[in-house]
Amino acid sequence: MTDNADLAALIRTIPDYPKPGILFRDVSTLLLDGPGFRATIDRMAAMVAPDTTLIAGIEARGFVVAAGLSYALGLGKLMLRKPGKLPGEKIGTDYALEYGTDRIEMHVGHVREGQKVLLVDDLIATGGTALAGVDLITRGGGIVEQALFIVDLPDLGGAEKLRAQGIRVDCLIDFEGD
């Protein structure tokens, strides 16, 4: 396992969710553990590039991680939301998941031109959600040079897709074979 075996042990695996053959890595059990969640945020904060000026979290579990990092680093938090949740002018993008399709949106004007934005979520699998987040931030004028996740499922290739776009990808835990 990795240096973060203590945190990996706090993540439960739910077989056959959301469909047969999927091993769902559920970080909610990690979030339930106060010291484990604090260690997660502290370790992730230590990985954040020093020129980062904004943290973008993807709904919903990514909000939890992004809020912790925003607090720890004293940075603002951008919300990338599911459709129908933002009241102001917004842009959106549709994307494919490993088991369907979805859409995320963000408010227009919440990213400054040339602003360095860290993309954060709980887990990266096929990379569809993360790539959609990069697309939104870039279309809004921001620059994504780093993405940060608690869990990577490297066999599904999402982190590699981000790296192919020149984005540094950091994760605390890899779960192989998923």
Side-chain angles (χ1 to χ4, degrees):
M1 189 121 347
T2 67
D3 295 347
N4 297 303
D6 58 329
L7 301 180
L10 297 172
I11 298 171
R12 73 177 168 168
T13 300
I14 301 173
D16 298 321
Y17 182 84
K19 67 178 191 177
I22 301 283
L23 290 175
F24 186 82
R25 302 300 182 165
D26 182 17
V27 301
S28 69
T29 50
L30 170 64
L31 301 178
L32 281 169
D33 187 281
F37 181 56
R38 174 178 255 166
T40 298
I41 295 301
D42 289 345
R43 292 174 197 178
M44 291 178 87
M47 302 167 95
V48 175
D51 60 347
T52 299
T53 59
L54 186 65
I55 312 274
I58 300 171
E59 189 169 353
R61 290 176 303 274
F63 283 5
V64 176
V65 179
L69 286 171
S70 293
Y71 176 80
L73 298 170
L75 298 174
K77 180 183 159 312
L78 173 68
M79 296 184 294
L80 304 180
R81 303 224 50 193
K82 296 187 183 216
K85 306 280 185 159
L86 297 173
E89 184 183 356
K90 59 197 158 288
I91 57 174
T93 191
D94 298 313
Y95 61 97
L97 296 166
E98 58 270 30
Y99 44 83
T101 61
D102 213 339
R103 179 177 178 84
I104 56 173
E105 301 174 336
M106 75 173 205
H107 276 126
V108 171
H110 281 198
V111 177
R112 293 186 318 271
E113 190 68 34
Q115 188 170 22
K116 298 277 180 88
V117 182
L118 170 69
L119 181 70
V120 174
D121 206 353
D122 65 319
L123 180 142
I124 184 156
T126 64
T129 309
L131 289 167
V134 170
D135 176 62
L136 281 178
I137 294 163
T138 302
R139 286 173 43 212
I143 299 167
V144 180
E145 294 179 344
Q146 183 183 15
L148 187 53
F149 306 91
I150 297 172
V151 172
D152 179 19
L153 304 178
D155 292 346
L156 296 179
E160 285 307 313
K161 290 175 186 171
L162 288 173
R163 289 183 186 108
Q165 290 196 5
I167 298 169
R168 176 179 143 196
V169 179
D170 295 299
C171 305
L172 292 180
I173 302 160
D174 291 343
F175 283 112
E176 302 285 341
D178 297 318

